[in-house]
Amino acid sequence: MFQLNLTQFTQEEFLRDYWQKKPVVIKQGFLNFEDPISPDELAGIACEEQVQSRLIHHADGKWQAEFGPFESYDHLGEENWSLVIQALDNWSEDAAKIIEAFRFIPHWRLDDLMASFATPNGSVGPHMDKYDTFICQGSGNRRWRVGDNGEHKEFSAHTALLHVESFDAIIDEELEAGDILYIPPGFPHEGKSLNNSMSFSVGFRTNSTVSLLSAFADHLIDNDQGNELIVDPNREATQHSGAIDSKDYLLIKNQLQQLLDNDDAFRSFTGCYMTQAKHEMDLVPNEEPFADEDVTEILSQTSLLRLGGLRAFYFTDTVEQGICYINGSQVDFDSSITPVIKLLCDNVCVDSEALEPWKENPAFISFVKAQLDLGYWYFAE
Ligand code: SIN
Ligand code: CO
């Protein structure tokens, strides 16, 4: 288990003083940090078809980038390159445990766990991100420079690499295993590996208004909602047929506003949207459905684990009514099992002791069976 070792500030002070405000190095944020996955294993994962990965190479000021899956790394030499893998939490249970240290930030804000292996002088180049990132240094060392936010000119160093022009550093530090660099969105940064090194970045992001609105429109279409037309039975004659007067402008604006003000509809959309998988998952649906008695027996012996990358949330306002959201869908359950559903949404792993009061509850057994069948949850070995 990876546990945050905060000595400079508390979680509350971090959120007050740094979160979304300014970058900071958390020295030895993890004590005795060991890579949860080896460079060889990482390289192997990047050979898989479903995994999003990139190789970035630079020499003599020229940047190259290729997208995985990769067949070999033999042509790359000993330095100047790095391998980056998105959504490692979907492919490595051990690496996913790093995310657990950041549960003081609600996980609807989570994007993914990104990992990188870099050889000496390997880097993805100076750039800015749209997300908050906690870069956790694993084995080896990297020198990180971070500039202040503000106007920074971006340019394409390669079709797949958006870089930023040189910047003055407000942070310039060599990180060692267990150090964490937090960078809010919009702060230019560049990490250069000093030797063979690994890093694990936990990224948090929100969605742009336009992507939220567009997804909301898709949700309305899929659910045959939002078909109401404007009605105006009390219209009065106008002298200016070319004008949209202020009353009519409000009528049009309210048409949209009413949809957003319909909390049942908007909450349902938000729950589905926020739980949509961000990256492909390693889904293995259960082939042989479990019998109720088997579920009860296994639950009394072993933990229930959530698949890496699976998103499961509830709204504090509606969970007591028996509503939660899992992997892009609304799931209704008997409200008597609300406490254990909250446990499953709040934690990736729930042990048999916590499940003891629920293991014979028919509503819970049927919930668990449905999730096992989908491959969303599984029993620990
Ligand atoms: C890296 O780990 O090399 C890149 C991480 C980042 O800059 O966001
Ligand atoms: Co970055």
mmCIF file of all heavy atoms in Angstrom, residues 314-361:
data_model
loop_
_atom_site.group_PDB
_atom_site.id
_atom_site.type_symbol
_atom_site.label_atom_id
_atom_site.label_comp_id
_atom_site.label_asym_id
_atom_site.label_seq_id
_atom_site.Cartn_x
_atom_site.Cartn_y
_atom_site.Cartn_z
ATOM 1 N N TYR A 314 -21.520 7.825 -6.540
ATOM 2 C CA TYR A 314 -22.908 8.092 -6.132
ATOM 3 C C TYR A 314 -23.009 9.564 -5.789
ATOM 4 O O TYR A 314 -21.999 10.213 -5.496
ATOM 5 C CB TYR A 314 -23.297 7.227 -4.920
ATOM 6 C CG TYR A 314 -22.385 7.385 -3.718
ATOM 7 C CD1 TYR A 314 -22.607 8.391 -2.775
ATOM 8 C CD2 TYR A 314 -21.277 6.549 -3.545
ATOM 9 C CE1 TYR A 314 -21.757 8.536 -1.683
ATOM 10 C CE2 TYR A 314 -20.424 6.710 -2.457
ATOM 11 C CZ TYR A 314 -20.673 7.703 -1.525
ATOM 12 O OH TYR A 314 -19.840 7.863 -0.446
ATOM 13 N N PHE A 315 -24.231 10.077 -5.839
ATOM 14 C CA PHE A 315 -24.458 11.444 -5.381
ATOM 15 C C PHE A 315 -24.919 11.360 -3.933
ATOM 16 O O PHE A 315 -25.803 10.545 -3.617
ATOM 17 C CB PHE A 315 -25.545 12.128 -6.215
ATOM 18 C CG PHE A 315 -25.104 12.443 -7.616
ATOM 19 C CD1 PHE A 315 -25.482 11.628 -8.665
ATOM 20 C CD2 PHE A 315 -24.307 13.536 -7.883
ATOM 21 C CE1 PHE A 315 -25.077 11.910 -9.956
ATOM 22 C CE2 PHE A 315 -23.887 13.824 -9.177
ATOM 23 C CZ PHE A 315 -24.275 13.007 -10.214
ATOM 24 N N THR A 316 -24.370 12.229 -3.084
ATOM 25 C CA THR A 316 -24.798 12.206 -1.685
ATOM 26 C C THR A 316 -26.298 12.493 -1.593
ATOM 27 O O THR A 316 -26.964 12.032 -0.679
ATOM 28 C CB THR A 316 -24.009 13.242 -0.851
ATOM 29 O OG1 THR A 316 -24.001 14.473 -1.563
ATOM 30 C CG2 THR A 316 -22.578 12.808 -0.625
ATOM 31 N N ASP A 317 -26.829 13.231 -2.573
ATOM 32 C CA ASP A 317 -28.252 13.597 -2.534
ATOM 33 C C ASP A 317 -29.195 12.451 -2.889
ATOM 34 O O ASP A 317 -30.366 12.500 -2.542
ATOM 35 C CB ASP A 317 -28.521 14.743 -3.531
ATOM 36 C CG ASP A 317 -27.874 16.031 -3.084
ATOM 37 O OD1 ASP A 317 -27.691 16.196 -1.866
ATOM 38 O OD2 ASP A 317 -27.544 16.857 -3.951
ATOM 39 N N THR A 318 -28.722 11.457 -3.654
ATOM 40 C CA THR A 318 -29.674 10.430 -4.125
ATOM 41 C C THR A 318 -29.291 8.993 -3.771
ATOM 42 O O THR A 318 -30.055 8.076 -4.062
ATOM 43 C CB THR A 318 -29.854 10.516 -5.665
ATOM 44 O OG1 THR A 318 -28.570 10.443 -6.277
ATOM 45 C CG2 THR A 318 -30.584 11.762 -6.090
ATOM 46 N N VAL A 319 -28.115 8.796 -3.154
ATOM 47 C CA VAL A 319 -27.693 7.417 -2.890
ATOM 48 C C VAL A 319 -28.666 6.717 -1.943
ATOM 49 O O VAL A 319 -28.930 5.515 -2.076
ATOM 50 C CB VAL A 319 -26.228 7.367 -2.383
ATOM 51 C CG1 VAL A 319 -26.074 7.987 -1.003
ATOM 52 C CG2 VAL A 319 -25.698 5.954 -2.399
ATOM 53 N N GLU A 320 -29.235 7.491 -1.009
ATOM 54 C CA GLU A 320 -30.171 6.876 -0.050
ATOM 55 C C GLU A 320 -31.443 6.394 -0.745
ATOM 56 O O GLU A 320 -32.177 5.577 -0.200
ATOM 57 C CB GLU A 320 -30.558 7.871 1.074
ATOM 58 C CG GLU A 320 -29.395 8.456 1.858
ATOM 59 C CD GLU A 320 -28.612 7.440 2.687
ATOM 60 O OE1 GLU A 320 -29.178 6.378 2.991
ATOM 61 O OE2 GLU A 320 -27.421 7.715 2.984
ATOM 62 N N GLN A 321 -31.694 6.898 -1.936
ATOM 63 C CA GLN A 321 -32.865 6.410 -2.690
ATOM 64 C C GLN A 321 -32.536 5.137 -3.469
ATOM 65 O O GLN A 321 -33.373 4.592 -4.176
ATOM 66 C CB GLN A 321 -33.333 7.470 -3.696
ATOM 67 C CG GLN A 321 -33.844 8.746 -3.086
ATOM 68 C CD GLN A 321 -33.819 9.891 -4.105
ATOM 69 O OE1 GLN A 321 -33.911 9.678 -5.309
ATOM 70 N NE2 GLN A 321 -33.679 11.105 -3.606
ATOM 71 N N GLY A 322 -31.263 4.684 -3.387
ATOM 72 C CA GLY A 322 -30.895 3.456 -4.082
ATOM 73 C C GLY A 322 -30.427 3.695 -5.508
ATOM 74 O O GLY A 322 -30.778 2.945 -6.409
ATOM 75 N N ILE A 323 -29.637 4.754 -5.696
ATOM 76 C CA ILE A 323 -29.122 5.039 -7.044
ATOM 77 C C ILE A 323 -27.608 5.248 -6.981
ATOM 78 O O ILE A 323 -27.107 6.027 -6.156
ATOM 79 C CB ILE A 323 -29.755 6.321 -7.634
ATOM 80 C CG1 ILE A 323 -31.282 6.184 -7.714
ATOM 81 C CG2 ILE A 323 -29.177 6.625 -9.027
ATOM 82 C CD1 ILE A 323 -31.999 7.467 -8.108
ATOM 83 N N CYS A 324 -26.889 4.536 -7.833
ATOM 84 C CA CYS A 324 -25.468 4.842 -8.029
ATOM 85 C C CYS A 324 -25.171 4.700 -9.519
ATOM 86 O O CYS A 324 -26.064 4.361 -10.312
ATOM 87 C CB CYS A 324 -24.567 3.932 -7.186
ATOM 88 S SG CYS A 324 -24.504 2.223 -7.727
ATOM 89 N N TYR A 325 -23.947 4.978 -9.894
ATOM 90 C CA TYR A 325 -23.572 4.976 -11.311
ATOM 91 C C TYR A 325 -22.285 4.185 -11.456
ATOM 92 O O TYR A 325 -21.326 4.381 -10.701
ATOM 93 C CB TYR A 325 -23.375 6.409 -11.811
ATOM 94 C CG TYR A 325 -24.639 7.215 -11.661
ATOM 95 C CD1 TYR A 325 -24.936 7.852 -10.460
ATOM 96 C CD2 TYR A 325 -25.579 7.271 -12.691
ATOM 97 C CE1 TYR A 325 -26.118 8.542 -10.291
ATOM 98 C CE2 TYR A 325 -26.765 7.960 -12.538
ATOM 99 C CZ TYR A 325 -27.032 8.594 -11.329
ATOM 100 O OH TYR A 325 -28.209 9.264 -11.167
ATOM 101 N N ILE A 326 -22.299 3.260 -12.418
ATOM 102 C CA ILE A 326 -21.125 2.410 -12.613
ATOM 103 C C ILE A 326 -20.835 2.306 -14.108
ATOM 104 O O ILE A 326 -21.728 1.967 -14.894
ATOM 105 C CB ILE A 326 -21.368 0.993 -12.028
ATOM 106 C CG1 ILE A 326 -21.689 1.078 -10.522
ATOM 107 C CG2 ILE A 326 -20.165 0.092 -12.268
ATOM 108 C CD1 ILE A 326 -22.136 -0.235 -9.901
ATOM 109 N N ASN A 327 -19.630 2.615 -14.464
ATOM 110 C CA ASN A 327 -19.171 2.479 -15.843
ATOM 111 C C ASN A 327 -20.169 3.006 -16.878
ATOM 112 O O ASN A 327 -20.530 2.314 -17.839
ATOM 113 C CB ASN A 327 -18.843 1.006 -16.133
ATOM 114 C CG ASN A 327 -17.971 0.866 -17.373
ATOM 115 O OD1 ASN A 327 -17.207 1.780 -17.713
ATOM 116 N ND2 ASN A 327 -18.085 -0.249 -18.074
ATOM 117 N N GLY A 328 -20.635 4.225 -16.663
ATOM 118 C CA GLY A 328 -21.472 4.886 -17.672
ATOM 119 C C GLY A 328 -22.955 4.596 -17.580
ATOM 120 O O GLY A 328 -23.715 5.080 -18.417
ATOM 121 N N SER A 329 -23.395 3.802 -16.579
ATOM 122 C CA SER A 329 -24.830 3.509 -16.472
ATOM 123 C C SER A 329 -25.329 3.784 -15.063
ATOM 124 O O SER A 329 -24.597 3.628 -14.083
ATOM 125 C CB SER A 329 -25.116 2.030 -16.760
ATOM 126 O OG SER A 329 -24.713 1.709 -18.054
ATOM 127 N N GLN A 330 -26.630 4.114 -14.998
ATOM 128 C CA GLN A 330 -27.264 4.238 -13.682
ATOM 129 C C GLN A 330 -27.598 2.836 -13.186
ATOM 130 O O GLN A 330 -28.084 1.997 -13.941
ATOM 131 C CB GLN A 330 -28.547 5.062 -13.813
ATOM 132 C CG GLN A 330 -29.275 5.179 -12.490
ATOM 133 C CD GLN A 330 -30.417 6.183 -12.527
ATOM 134 O OE1 GLN A 330 -30.342 7.207 -13.212
ATOM 135 N NE2 GLN A 330 -31.476 5.913 -11.771
ATOM 136 N N VAL A 331 -27.303 2.573 -11.914
ATOM 137 C CA VAL A 331 -27.620 1.271 -11.323
ATOM 138 C C VAL A 331 -28.542 1.519 -10.132
ATOM 139 O O VAL A 331 -28.216 2.290 -9.229
ATOM 140 C CB VAL A 331 -26.336 0.536 -10.866
ATOM 141 C CG1 VAL A 331 -26.684 -0.774 -10.174
ATOM 142 C CG2 VAL A 331 -25.410 0.287 -12.052
ATOM 143 N N ASP A 332 -29.714 0.894 -10.173
ATOM 144 C CA ASP A 332 -30.664 1.019 -9.062
ATOM 145 C C ASP A 332 -30.511 -0.186 -8.152
ATOM 146 O O ASP A 332 -30.357 -1.303 -8.632
ATOM 147 C CB ASP A 332 -32.095 1.093 -9.606
ATOM 148 C CG ASP A 332 -32.283 2.312 -10.491
ATOM 149 O OD1 ASP A 332 -31.871 3.403 -10.071
ATOM 150 O OD2 ASP A 332 -32.796 2.163 -11.624
ATOM 151 N N PHE A 333 -30.543 0.049 -6.856
ATOM 152 C CA PHE A 333 -30.409 -1.058 -5.899
ATOM 153 C C PHE A 333 -31.375 -0.815 -4.746
ATOM 154 O O PHE A 333 -31.892 0.309 -4.589
ATOM 155 C CB PHE A 333 -28.960 -1.166 -5.393
ATOM 156 C CG PHE A 333 -28.412 0.114 -4.831
ATOM 157 C CD1 PHE A 333 -28.610 0.454 -3.499
ATOM 158 C CD2 PHE A 333 -27.718 1.008 -5.647
ATOM 159 C CE1 PHE A 333 -28.133 1.643 -2.983
ATOM 160 C CE2 PHE A 333 -27.240 2.213 -5.131
ATOM 161 C CZ PHE A 333 -27.449 2.527 -3.795
ATOM 162 N N ASP A 334 -31.607 -1.862 -3.964
ATOM 163 C CA ASP A 334 -32.495 -1.734 -2.815
ATOM 164 C C ASP A 334 -31.838 -0.791 -1.798
ATOM 165 O O ASP A 334 -30.686 -1.020 -1.406
ATOM 166 C CB ASP A 334 -32.720 -3.127 -2.216
ATOM 167 C CG ASP A 334 -33.834 -3.094 -1.199
ATOM 168 O OD1 ASP A 334 -33.590 -2.575 -0.075
ATOM 169 O OD2 ASP A 334 -34.933 -3.553 -1.536
ATOM 170 N N SER A 335 -32.587 0.229 -1.392
ATOM 171 C CA SER A 335 -31.946 1.272 -0.567
ATOM 172 C C SER A 335 -31.433 0.729 0.778
ATOM 173 O O SER A 335 -30.611 1.375 1.418
ATOM 174 C CB SER A 335 -32.893 2.444 -0.354
ATOM 175 O OG SER A 335 -34.063 1.980 0.278
ATOM 176 N N SER A 336 -31.877 -0.483 1.175
ATOM 177 C CA SER A 336 -31.381 -1.048 2.440
ATOM 178 C C SER A 336 -29.879 -1.351 2.370
ATOM 179 O O SER A 336 -29.215 -1.456 3.400
ATOM 180 C CB SER A 336 -32.146 -2.334 2.779
ATOM 181 O OG SER A 336 -31.833 -3.331 1.821
ATOM 182 N N ILE A 337 -29.331 -1.496 1.161
ATOM 183 C CA ILE A 337 -27.891 -1.828 1.062
ATOM 184 C C ILE A 337 -27.022 -0.597 0.745
ATOM 185 O O ILE A 337 -25.852 -0.719 0.390
ATOM 186 C CB ILE A 337 -27.627 -2.985 0.062
ATOM 187 C CG1 ILE A 337 -28.061 -2.609 -1.371
ATOM 188 C CG2 ILE A 337 -28.301 -4.273 0.507
ATOM 189 C CD1 ILE A 337 -27.540 -3.583 -2.442
ATOM 190 N N THR A 338 -27.617 0.580 0.921
ATOM 191 C CA THR A 338 -26.874 1.814 0.616
ATOM 192 C C THR A 338 -25.491 1.875 1.290
ATOM 193 O O THR A 338 -24.495 2.200 0.617
ATOM 194 C CB THR A 338 -27.707 3.056 1.005
ATOM 195 O OG1 THR A 338 -28.896 3.037 0.221
ATOM 196 C CG2 THR A 338 -26.960 4.336 0.753
ATOM 197 N N PRO A 339 -25.372 1.534 2.597
ATOM 198 C CA PRO A 339 -24.043 1.683 3.223
ATOM 199 C C PRO A 339 -22.959 0.857 2.525
ATOM 200 O O PRO A 339 -21.836 1.331 2.348
ATOM 201 C CB PRO A 339 -24.272 1.187 4.657
ATOM 202 C CG PRO A 339 -25.742 1.336 4.897
ATOM 203 C CD PRO A 339 -26.404 1.128 3.571
ATOM 204 N N VAL A 340 -23.287 -0.360 2.106
ATOM 205 C CA VAL A 340 -22.241 -1.191 1.488
ATOM 206 C C VAL A 340 -21.972 -0.754 0.046
ATOM 207 O O VAL A 340 -20.843 -0.856 -0.449
ATOM 208 C CB VAL A 340 -22.576 -2.709 1.599
ATOM 209 C CG1 VAL A 340 -23.747 -3.117 0.748
ATOM 210 C CG2 VAL A 340 -21.350 -3.552 1.270
ATOM 211 N N ILE A 341 -22.980 -0.201 -0.617
ATOM 212 C CA ILE A 341 -22.744 0.320 -1.974
ATOM 213 C C ILE A 341 -21.790 1.516 -1.880
ATOM 214 O O ILE A 341 -20.873 1.661 -2.701
ATOM 215 C CB ILE A 341 -24.084 0.729 -2.653
ATOM 216 C CG1 ILE A 341 -24.997 -0.485 -2.806
ATOM 217 C CG2 ILE A 341 -23.823 1.399 -4.008
ATOM 218 C CD1 ILE A 341 -24.477 -1.616 -3.653
ATOM 219 N N LYS A 342 -21.976 2.350 -0.852
ATOM 220 C CA LYS A 342 -21.066 3.488 -0.672
ATOM 221 C C LYS A 342 -19.637 2.984 -0.427
ATOM 222 O O LYS A 342 -18.671 3.529 -0.972
ATOM 223 C CB LYS A 342 -21.536 4.370 0.490
ATOM 224 C CG LYS A 342 -22.745 5.217 0.112
ATOM 225 C CD LYS A 342 -23.480 5.776 1.296
ATOM 226 C CE LYS A 342 -22.877 7.005 1.891
ATOM 227 N NZ LYS A 342 -23.767 7.587 2.929
ATOM 228 N N LEU A 343 -19.527 1.925 0.371
ATOM 229 C CA LEU A 343 -18.195 1.346 0.624
ATOM 230 C C LEU A 343 -17.532 0.913 -0.683
ATOM 231 O O LEU A 343 -16.345 1.150 -0.909
ATOM 232 C CB LEU A 343 -18.336 0.089 1.488
ATOM 233 C CG LEU A 343 -18.187 0.187 2.982
ATOM 234 C CD1 LEU A 343 -18.243 -1.200 3.599
ATOM 235 C CD2 LEU A 343 -16.848 0.845 3.337
ATOM 236 N N LEU A 344 -18.324 0.265 -1.540
ATOM 237 C CA LEU A 344 -17.759 -0.240 -2.804
ATOM 238 C C LEU A 344 -17.385 0.903 -3.750
ATOM 239 O O LEU A 344 -16.456 0.773 -4.544
ATOM 240 C CB LEU A 344 -18.743 -1.194 -3.495
ATOM 241 C CG LEU A 344 -18.952 -2.544 -2.808
ATOM 242 C CD1 LEU A 344 -20.021 -3.358 -3.508
ATOM 243 C CD2 LEU A 344 -17.646 -3.350 -2.772
ATOM 244 N N CYS A 345 -18.141 1.999 -3.686
ATOM 245 C CA CYS A 345 -17.807 3.140 -4.550
ATOM 246 C C CYS A 345 -16.601 3.915 -3.998
ATOM 247 O O CYS A 345 -15.817 4.473 -4.757
ATOM 248 C CB CYS A 345 -18.993 4.090 -4.676
ATOM 249 S SG CYS A 345 -20.381 3.424 -5.609
ATOM 250 N N ASP A 346 -16.472 3.937 -2.670
ATOM 251 C CA ASP A 346 -15.395 4.716 -2.039
ATOM 252 C C ASP A 346 -14.054 3.985 -2.037
ATOM 253 O O ASP A 346 -13.010 4.604 -1.866
ATOM 254 C CB ASP A 346 -15.736 5.022 -0.569
ATOM 255 C CG ASP A 346 -16.821 6.086 -0.421
ATOM 256 O OD1 ASP A 346 -17.074 6.809 -1.387
ATOM 257 O OD2 ASP A 346 -17.404 6.184 0.679
ATOM 258 N N ASN A 347 -14.104 2.655 -2.158
ATOM 259 C CA ASN A 347 -12.872 1.860 -2.013
ATOM 260 C C ASN A 347 -12.703 0.878 -3.155
ATOM 261 O O ASN A 347 -13.675 0.277 -3.606
ATOM 262 C CB ASN A 347 -12.941 1.044 -0.712
ATOM 263 C CG ASN A 347 -13.052 1.943 0.507
ATOM 264 O OD1 ASN A 347 -12.071 2.508 0.949
ATOM 265 N ND2 ASN A 347 -14.267 2.096 1.006
ATOM 266 N N VAL A 348 -11.463 0.705 -3.553
ATOM 267 C CA VAL A 348 -11.173 -0.258 -4.627
ATOM 268 C C VAL A 348 -11.254 -1.682 -4.084
ATOM 269 O O VAL A 348 -11.646 -2.610 -4.778
ATOM 270 C CB VAL A 348 -9.778 0.045 -5.215
ATOM 271 C CG1 VAL A 348 -9.258 -1.111 -6.039
ATOM 272 C CG2 VAL A 348 -9.849 1.301 -6.068
ATOM 273 N N CYS A 349 -10.903 -1.837 -2.798
ATOM 274 C CA CYS A 349 -10.898 -3.168 -2.196
ATOM 275 C C CYS A 349 -11.710 -3.110 -0.894
ATOM 276 O O CYS A 349 -11.461 -2.249 -0.061
ATOM 277 C CB CYS A 349 -9.441 -3.557 -1.908
ATOM 278 S SG CYS A 349 -9.291 -5.097 -1.029
ATOM 279 N N VAL A 350 -12.676 -3.997 -0.759
ATOM 280 C CA VAL A 350 -13.443 -4.052 0.495
ATOM 281 C C VAL A 350 -13.268 -5.453 1.065
ATOM 282 O O VAL A 350 -13.541 -6.456 0.377
ATOM 283 C CB VAL A 350 -14.938 -3.722 0.264
ATOM 284 C CG1 VAL A 350 -15.704 -3.754 1.585
ATOM 285 C CG2 VAL A 350 -15.100 -2.348 -0.390
ATOM 286 N N ASP A 351 -12.775 -5.526 2.302
ATOM 287 C CA ASP A 351 -12.430 -6.855 2.830
ATOM 288 C C ASP A 351 -13.635 -7.576 3.438
ATOM 289 O O ASP A 351 -14.696 -6.988 3.643
ATOM 290 C CB ASP A 351 -11.254 -6.766 3.808
ATOM 291 C CG ASP A 351 -11.590 -5.977 5.061
ATOM 292 O OD1 ASP A 351 -12.778 -5.848 5.385
ATOM 293 O OD2 ASP A 351 -10.650 -5.479 5.707
ATOM 294 N N SER A 352 -13.429 -8.866 3.711
ATOM 295 C CA SER A 352 -14.551 -9.711 4.133
ATOM 296 C C SER A 352 -15.126 -9.267 5.474
ATOM 297 O O SER A 352 -16.317 -9.418 5.717
ATOM 298 C CB SER A 352 -14.130 -11.173 4.180
ATOM 299 O OG SER A 352 -13.020 -11.310 5.001
ATOM 300 N N GLU A 353 -14.293 -8.659 6.309
ATOM 301 C CA GLU A 353 -14.800 -8.174 7.593
ATOM 302 C C GLU A 353 -15.861 -7.089 7.378
ATOM 303 O O GLU A 353 -16.931 -7.104 7.983
ATOM 304 C CB GLU A 353 -13.624 -7.620 8.403
ATOM 305 C CG GLU A 353 -13.867 -7.591 9.876
ATOM 306 C CD GLU A 353 -12.646 -7.029 10.597
ATOM 307 O OE1 GLU A 353 -11.492 -7.406 10.244
ATOM 308 O OE2 GLU A 353 -12.847 -6.196 11.472
ATOM 309 N N ALA A 354 -15.563 -6.169 6.462
ATOM 310 C CA ALA A 354 -16.517 -5.086 6.174
ATOM 311 C C ALA A 354 -17.765 -5.633 5.468
ATOM 312 O O ALA A 354 -18.856 -5.062 5.583
ATOM 313 C CB ALA A 354 -15.840 -4.031 5.309
ATOM 314 N N LEU A 355 -17.595 -6.752 4.750
ATOM 315 C CA LEU A 355 -18.734 -7.303 3.994
ATOM 316 C C LEU A 355 -19.582 -8.261 4.839
ATOM 317 O O LEU A 355 -20.691 -8.626 4.430
ATOM 318 C CB LEU A 355 -18.218 -8.034 2.740
ATOM 319 C CG LEU A 355 -17.529 -7.132 1.709
ATOM 320 C CD1 LEU A 355 -16.897 -7.971 0.618
ATOM 321 C CD2 LEU A 355 -18.521 -6.144 1.106
ATOM 322 N N GLU A 356 -19.048 -8.635 5.998
ATOM 323 C CA GLU A 356 -19.711 -9.620 6.872
ATOM 324 C C GLU A 356 -21.217 -9.324 7.082
ATOM 325 O O GLU A 356 -22.045 -10.210 6.871
ATOM 326 C CB GLU A 356 -18.942 -9.673 8.205
ATOM 327 C CG GLU A 356 -19.482 -10.602 9.257
ATOM 328 C CD GLU A 356 -19.406 -12.080 8.880
ATOM 329 O OE1 GLU A 356 -18.537 -12.447 8.067
ATOM 330 O OE2 GLU A 356 -20.253 -12.846 9.388
ATOM 331 N N PRO A 357 -21.583 -8.084 7.449
ATOM 332 C CA PRO A 357 -23.013 -7.842 7.711
ATOM 333 C C PRO A 357 -23.893 -7.973 6.467
ATOM 334 O O PRO A 357 -25.112 -7.998 6.582
ATOM 335 C CB PRO A 357 -23.040 -6.390 8.213
ATOM 336 C CG PRO A 357 -21.632 -5.993 8.448
ATOM 337 C CD PRO A 357 -20.756 -6.884 7.668
ATOM 338 N N TRP A 358 -23.274 -8.018 5.299
ATOM 339 C CA TRP A 358 -24.059 -7.959 4.059
ATOM 340 C C TRP A 358 -24.067 -9.275 3.286
ATOM 341 O O TRP A 358 -24.791 -9.426 2.311
ATOM 342 C CB TRP A 358 -23.474 -6.862 3.138
ATOM 343 C CG TRP A 358 -23.352 -5.561 3.845
ATOM 344 C CD1 TRP A 358 -22.238 -5.039 4.426
ATOM 345 C CD2 TRP A 358 -24.414 -4.638 4.120
ATOM 346 N NE1 TRP A 358 -22.517 -3.842 5.030
ATOM 347 C CE2 TRP A 358 -23.860 -3.574 4.850
ATOM 348 C CE3 TRP A 358 -25.777 -4.604 3.803
ATOM 349 C CZ2 TRP A 358 -24.603 -2.498 5.272
ATOM 350 C CZ3 TRP A 358 -26.532 -3.524 4.226
ATOM 351 C CH2 TRP A 358 -25.940 -2.490 4.954
ATOM 352 N N LYS A 359 -23.238 -10.208 3.724
ATOM 353 C CA LYS A 359 -22.968 -11.372 2.864
ATOM 354 C C LYS A 359 -24.184 -12.272 2.624
ATOM 355 O O LYS A 359 -24.191 -13.053 1.677
ATOM 356 C CB LYS A 359 -21.780 -12.176 3.403
ATOM 357 C CG LYS A 359 -22.059 -12.855 4.727
ATOM 358 C CD LYS A 359 -20.872 -13.670 5.146
ATOM 359 C CE LYS A 359 -21.340 -14.661 6.163
ATOM 360 N NZ LYS A 359 -20.759 -14.842 7.355
ATOM 361 N N GLU A 360 -25.226 -12.136 3.479
ATOM 362 C CA GLU A 360 -26.419 -12.960 3.251
ATOM 363 C C GLU A 360 -27.611 -12.129 2.803
ATOM 364 O O GLU A 360 -28.710 -12.653 2.635
ATOM 365 C CB GLU A 360 -26.755 -13.740 4.529
ATOM 366 C CG GLU A 360 -25.785 -14.885 4.718
ATOM 367 C CD GLU A 360 -25.960 -15.631 6.028
ATOM 368 O OE1 GLU A 360 -27.024 -15.508 6.639
ATOM 369 O OE2 GLU A 360 -24.997 -16.315 6.407
ATOM 370 N N ASN A 361 -27.378 -10.853 2.587
ATOM 371 C CA ASN A 361 -28.474 -9.968 2.178
ATOM 372 C C ASN A 361 -28.797 -10.226 0.689
ATOM 373 O O ASN A 361 -27.939 -10.045 -0.179
ATOM 374 C CB ASN A 361 -28.006 -8.520 2.396
ATOM 375 C CG ASN A 361 -29.063 -7.508 2.039
ATOM 376 O OD1 ASN A 361 -29.667 -7.592 0.977
ATOM 377 N ND2 ASN A 361 -29.276 -6.560 2.920
#
